[in-house]
Amino acid sequence: MTPKAIDRHIAPALHPIEHISFVAPNAQLLANGATLFCLSGLQNDTSKIELHFAAGSTTSDPLTASLCAGLLINGSHQKTAKQIQKALDAVGAYYDVSLTQETAVVTLYALKNQLYNAYLIFHENLFGAIFPAKEVKDLVHSRRQKFLVQEQKVSFIAQRYFQRSLLAGSAYAKQIQLSDFDHADRAAIQAFHAQHYLCGLKKVYLVGDLQEATIKAFALLLEQYQSKLPQSAVFEWQPEQGATHIEQDGALQSAVRIGRPLFNKTHPDFCSFSVLNTVLGDYFGSRLMSNIREDKGYTYGIGSHIVESKQFGYLVIGTEVGVQTREATFREIQYEFERLKTQLIPEEELNLVKSYLMGQLLKSADGPYAMLDLFANVETVGLDLSYYDRYISEVKAVDAKKLRELAQRYLIWEEMLLISAG
Amino acid sequence: QDYYLADLLSDHMGNEKTGILFTELQRKKKLVSEITAYITGSIDNGLFVISGKINPKRSLSELDAALWPLLDQYKSKKMSQSALRELILKLQTAKAFQDQGLLSRAMNLSFFELLGSAELINQESARFEKIQTKDLQTYAQQLLDKNRCSLLQIQAQ
């Protein structure tokens, strides 16, 4: 078949994004109460298994949770960390562990004909994990070194202080301190693993063109975990407001974090506010970037983000600026708030931002793994894929008047928490 | 073809958990708190980089003395067949995952077109499969020459 000749001097035509055909995984309930989500139809040889455990950093003390996550298959009675890793290498598998405040996510990647073998290695060594003393000691040393270096950075200092203040009165305000490394306790890590990994399986995602029999075999293994999940406590917090500056001798830059409690995607204003947030500071041509970076030259980058968690969300604006321009930066951010509260966003700018957001959504739906991530994001907060159809229509429909209203309701300078370090 | 040899070599020596740099210099000798090897992939020849952070109280000359004998191992001995097979399997898996998104595939096609022919993308897999242990050894002998490397040391005051 001869392909039609393409004239590569002519760029392809542009089409506005109308609709994205999302694909949902199949859900099946395992005997232990955890859910197994399966996605197939990939038409390639890749596959992954992703396990979600109730072992996040707010589950116990943050350092124990973190060390445990870093040592999951670092040794059993029969095998050393190196032997286990070599066994995974032999089947061409990769794994990684990522820790959030609520969940520990373990992901294993391999070609589909090796995924079960790879998982078996992981499974045996997770259940048989002993957390050898030397492994613990080495990791504590390496993490402590990293912490010492991080502690000097103004961005780290400001970010931590900001989170502690905003999330005050909740488990999310607990943070690792340098002295914690000296009290790292192997027995505590072992107990954490037994309770929050072996008994804490929340859900599993299995992606790949796998045979029915293979999926059944996976389910059998997964049912060896227990799923004793703690009751979700009602989330309570006492977010702080006002300005605090942390002096850092010899600092050339000041890190600035400004923010306030907001909401997550379950809130009716979320989609519309996302548009406002993008105009303010979530793309290169945003108000904050155009003013503070392009016009004034105070910073290399400034942005505003909505940070989402299962039960809450917040807005944070962050940047690092020269120490001598810190006060001016605060004033300019406040000025941009006022502009959005008084003047309507011009149509051209608004259309550009809407286009940008549609493009970002499309990009984040590129391929089966990306689509699954989109599914997982909504599933965590009790929504389904129809959220994205709603997002597309709300973003397209929102008008400048509504955005000004939202600005007036949420971008109130006196209600902000303002932290700077340096 | 050298690009693929360099890719394999950097992966083998710099692997986070089983690479020889990690196991010897970090775990055993505790000379470094972090160490890795990677290649910069682009249109020009690019660089093979070994990079790390020296532990406090250890010196650069100690590291130098420990590093080069390790690199010599790649020059003096051939890797075992099974080790090479494993390495190629790992790299093939990684590349299969990178090709998940349309964007990644589109960019690769464009890149290969820039290098001469978009068709080259279909030959990548075969190029890896063809690599023999002696090719790696010969390449290591050419590449890992102390007189041909640039050393950058960054020290805090």
Side-chain angles (χ1 to χ4, degrees), chain A residues 201-218:
Chain A
L201 186 67
K202 295 207 278 196
K203 55 189 119 159
V204 181
Y205 289 97
L206 192 54
V207 184
D209 293 348
L210 304 165
Q211 315 246 354
E212 262 310 308
T214 312
I215 298 177
K216 284 206 169 73
F218 268 112

Side-chain angles (χ1 to χ4, degrees), chain A residues 8 44 46-47 82 85 89-95 109-111 134-135 138 141 145-146 366-369, chain B residues 11 15 17-18 23 26-27 30 33-34 55-56 86 89-91 93-94 96-97 100-104 113:
Chain A
R8 299 226 175 103
N44 66 54
T46 66
S47 62
K82 191 168 168 180
Q85 186 58 46
D89 282 354
V91 293
Y94 291 86
Y95 86 97
Y109 304 90
L111 296 178
K134 179 173 195 309
E135 294 282 339
D138 285 350
H141 172 78
Q145 278 303 110
K146 291 204 171 102
D366 188 6
Y369 293 93
Chain B
D11 248 45
N15 181 293
K17 298 181 177 94
T18 57
T23 54
Q26 186 163 339
R27 276 205 65 144
K30 302 196 194 300
S33 61
E34 273 177 43
N55 268 335
E86 259 180 39
L89 178 59
K90 279 207 90 171
L91 240 85
T93 307
F97 275 95
Q100 280 312 296
L102 275 180
L103 184 62
S104 167
E113 181 68 11

